[in-house]
Every structure is written in C-alpha cells, then in structure tokens.
Amino acid sequence: MTIERKELGPRRSQIVVHGDTVDLAGIVAQTNKGRNVTEQTREILSTIDAYLAQADSDKSKILTATIYLSDMGGFAEMNAVWDAWVVEGATPARATVEAKLANPALKVEIMVQAAI
C-alpha cells in the first residue's frame, strides 16, 4: 500500500494518506496566532476542512480527533466553535487535553484522522 504525503515540511507532513485513511498533523492557527480560543479554533477547523479536501475526504468522515488546549479554561469556548462545526450524527471519537504548546501565542492545536 502506498503512502502519500502532502504539505511537506522539514519536520512533518501536514497530510499523510495511507490506504483508506488520512492523518493530519497537529494544526495550529497561523493568522490568528495570539488571538482568543474562538478565533484560533475557527481558523484551525477551516484548515482541517481544506486539508481533508486535498485528501478527498471531509469532516463527516473524521474518525478521531485530539485537541490540545494551552489552558482548559478555554474548553467551553473551543467546544462552542467545535459543536457548530462537526456534522451532527458523525461526531468522531475525541480527546481534549491541556498541554503546553510550542509557542505561547498558541492556545489550540488539533489532530485528526479521517476515512477517505
């Protein structure tokens, strides 16, 4: 089975397609870095939509999601954006954890795996 890598960087591929699944690297806000949890989450979910489309998938096919918050105090704020975005009846298995992210301006990071 082949492995296809897209959006390659020196340390990671943003998109890895293998068989009938696609894995996305941890996605963080670029434009909204330093802004609030709502704005960062919206940007991240928009990026996830775009990356899944590159792999011929979409958010209704997400199998698992791992969400990293720099402060669990932003949990409800992130969930408000997430809940409006996910497809009703197709919510993935999900874990949310508090973690120190690589850059203090980042408040949210999300990884997903989806079917194709």
Side-chain angles (χ1 to χ4, degrees), residues 23-51:
D23 290 281
L24 302 186
I27 310 296
V28 296
Q30 299 298 321
T31 304
N32 290 314
K33 188 184 298 182
R35 296 200 177 160
N36 65 35
V37 170
T38 296
E39 292 174 75
Q40 288 192 25
T41 303
R42 282 187 183 134
E43 179 184 337
I44 291 164
L45 297 179
S46 177
T47 301
I48 288 171
D49 283 332
Y51 285 169

Side-chain angles (χ1 to χ4, degrees), residues 53-114:
Q54 284 189 50
D56 297 321
S57 187
D58 63 66
K59 65 185 175 184
S60 72
K61 297 176 184 175
I62 295 176
L63 304 169
T64 63
T66 305
I67 301 171
Y68 303 93
L69 295 173
S70 63
D71 180 347
M72 284 303 273
F75 186 70
E77 191 177 349
M78 179 278 301
N79 270 333
V81 179
W82 175 270
D83 292 346
W85 176 78
V86 293
V87 176
E88 187 175 339
T91 52
R94 187 186 105 172
T96 305
V97 298
E98 181 175 284
K100 184 175 181 178
L101 300 180
N103 181 323
L106 299 173
K107 300 179 185 326
V108 184
E109 181 172 346
I110 302 176
M111 292 182 70
V112 301
Q113 181 182 66

Side-chain angles (χ1 to χ4, degrees), residues 5-15:
R5 301 174 197 282
K6 300 179 181 201
E7 303 287 331
L8 293 159
R11 291 194 179 115
R12 68 181 175 275
S13 299
Q14 287 295 140
I15 306 163

